Each structure stands twice: as structure tokens, then as C-alpha cells.
């Protein structure tokens, strides 16, 4: 029997850049890879919990926009049961 988790809180869109080594103070570096994915405290916690085998429910505000669709797709990919409270 798997664990159940309820996560309530923020969701956002994260922009992530992968660099080849650590930046020096006041340094610049070109990213070798970039991605955009769902983020935010409650969202990240719910995806991690689901990935580890738990049954997950996320209560958050995402809305209906292109950005919201990116978040929604990531959340559904990890089998998180989403309740969106955005108008």
C-alpha cells in the first residue's frame, strides 16, 4: 500500500540553465543546456513524492495560459492529482 500526500501551495514556472562548471565571482558563462518546467515549493514536493511512489494530490493555482499548460503537462506526467483553484 502506497503512502498518500496532500500538498497545498505555490506552483510556478522554472527556467533552468545548465553550465559546465562553477561560476567565479562576478563571472559570466554560456549555458550548455536550458529547460523550462513546473516548479514552486508545493509543486516540486508533490512531484518528488509521486516519483518516489506515493499517491499525490496538489492543491494550487495555475490558471489557463500557455505557461499554465507547461506546468500542467509536467504535473500530469508525474501522475500528480491536480486541483487548480485559479479562476
Amino acid at each position: 500500500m502506497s503512502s498518500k500526500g496532500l500538498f497545498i501551495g505555490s506552483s510556478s514556472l522554472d527556467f533552468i540553465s545548465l553550465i559546465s562548471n562553477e561560476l567565479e565571482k562576478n563571472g559570466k558563462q554560456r549555458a550548455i543546456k536550458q529547460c523550462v518546467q513546473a516548479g514552486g515549493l508545493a509543486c516540486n514536493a508533490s512531484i518528488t513524492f509521486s516519483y518516489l511512489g506515493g499517491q499525490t494530490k496538489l492543491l494550487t493555482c495555475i490558471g489557463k495560459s500557455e505557461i499554465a499548460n507547461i506546468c500542467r503537462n509536467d504535473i500530469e506526467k508525474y501522475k500528480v492529482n491536480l486541483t487548480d483553484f485559479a479562476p
Side-chain angles (χ1 to χ4, degrees):
M1 182 171 145
S2 66
S3 300
K4 294 181 181 179
L6 174 63
F7 298 85
I8 304 169
S10 66
S11 293
S12 62
L13 189 66
D14 287 349
F15 294 86
I16 301 165
S17 298
L18 179 64
I19 57 176
S20 58
N21 54 4
E22 191 174 334
L23 282 175
E24 296 179 21
K25 186 175 181 179
N26 297 320
K28 293 183 181 180
Q29 195 172 103
R30 185 176 301 258
I32 57 175
K33 183 177 180 181
Q34 295 178 316
C35 66
V36 178
Q37 64 188 42
L41 296 174
C43 183
N44 286 341
S46 68
I47 288 173
T48 301
F49 190 82
S50 180
Y51 181 80
L52 294 173
Q55 293 179 1
T56 310
K57 184 163 187 78
L58 172 62
L59 307 179
T60 191
C61 293
I62 293 179
K64 294 176 173 47
S65 67
E66 291 303 316
I67 290 174
N69 290 338
I70 295 169
C71 291
R72 191 176 310 279
N73 289 339
D74 281 349
I75 291 166
E76 290 173 357
K77 178 171 71 175
Y78 289 99
K79 298 177 177 67
V80 172
N81 182 348
L82 172 65
T83 300
D84 184 5
F85 285 107

